[in-house]
Amino acid sequence: MSAVTSGPRFSHVDDATAMRASLSLLLPDLTFVSSHGSVEDLLTAMPEADVVILDLHLANTGQPDASQGTTAIRRIVEAGYRVCVYSQEERRFVLAACLAAGATGVVSKAASLAEAEAAFRAVAADEPVIPPDITGLIEVLVRRRSITVLTPRQREVLAHRARGLTYAEMSRSMYLSESTLRGYWMELAQLVSQYLRETSPGDIEHALGLRPGDLLDLWPGRGSTSC
């Protein structure tokens, strides 16, 4: 009989062989059920995983037509998996487009292993993971009244998070427990993710004062296959 796996199961998609071989060794407390060099390989195998940890940039000389970017995210989400983007990408509009494409979380490869593991576990629990650069972008959209559904308390939490404050620092300044603040952030993150998935790039461009078409090639469903 095969052993019963408890806890969330992860699959890893990265075109770098060294990354695929090392991540499970670096995070031994996570259960990895498979690793793949491309989304196409993942979707052929259809492993029994709860979360796919996905690099954004997968096309290379060996697989020039591999799906990547928001196209890759959408294909994996449509197959029934949660996606956590794990990438060196730092452009905030690209990262926002990942959430718009359906990714539950985004974490930088520059993050510590502890931070990465926490993010992967959060995504497995269906908790959105939003990087600081996107938090700052969302705060601008809130100030310009493009996002109007937030409560005053959620706006305050967003402003503090956008400035990089920890839950402990926020707790001291807002006189609320860290668990309460995490609850506010969770509700806020879910609203932000929904907003990005439902709002057109044109509306976001208008709210941010960008030129029409600046986000067109980045946003999912607009003909772009890469980030």
Side-chain angles (χ1 to χ4, degrees), residues 15-161:
D15 71 319
T17 303
M19 280 297 301
R20 294 198 306 275
S22 62
L23 191 61
S24 61
L25 300 176
L26 294 170
L27 300 175
D29 292 334
L30 297 185
T31 299
F32 284 84
V33 296
S34 68
S35 63
H36 309 271
S38 68
V39 172
E40 288 74 15
D41 184 44
L42 169 82
L43 297 180
T44 296
M46 290 297 291
E48 293 185 4
D50 302 295
V51 176
V52 173
I53 299 169
L54 176 71
D55 187 27
L56 283 182
H57 304 288
L58 298 169
N60 55 45
T61 55
Q63 50 184 37
D65 298 322
S67 298
Q68 60 180 6
T70 56
T71 298
I73 294 169
R74 282 203 154 177
R75 292 190 65 189
I76 296 171
V77 170
E78 288 169 359
Y81 297 104
R82 295 189 186 99
V83 172
C84 186
V85 170
Y86 188 45
S87 174
Q88 292 178 326
E89 178 62 65
E90 296 182 348
R91 291 172 293 172
R92 61 179 182 168
F93 290 120
V94 172
L95 300 179
C98 291
L99 296 177
T104 303
V106 176
V107 61
S108 171
K109 284 184 176 178
S112 70
L113 289 174
E115 291 170 333
E117 179 172 340
F120 299 155
R121 289 188 181 279
V123 169
D126 205 24
E127 299 176 5
V129 176
I130 301 177
D133 281 350
I134 301 181
T135 303
L137 176 64
I138 294 302
E139 188 191 21
V140 174
L141 290 169
V142 169
R143 283 194 278 105
R144 296 187 179 181
R145 301 186 182 278
S146 182
I147 301 177
T148 59
V149 296
L150 304 186
T151 66
R153 184 64 81 184
Q154 287 172 334
R155 289 170 182 258
E156 188 176 3
V157 170
L158 176 64
H160 286 318
R161 292 288 286 176

Side-chain angles (χ1 to χ4, degrees), residues 203-226:
D203 288 341
I204 294 176
E205 288 166 350
H206 179 74
L208 295 175
L210 302 174
R211 295 174 303 176
D214 276 357
L215 299 182
L216 198 61
D217 291 336
L218 300 179
W219 228 247
R222 274 31 182 212
S224 176
T225 59
S226 62

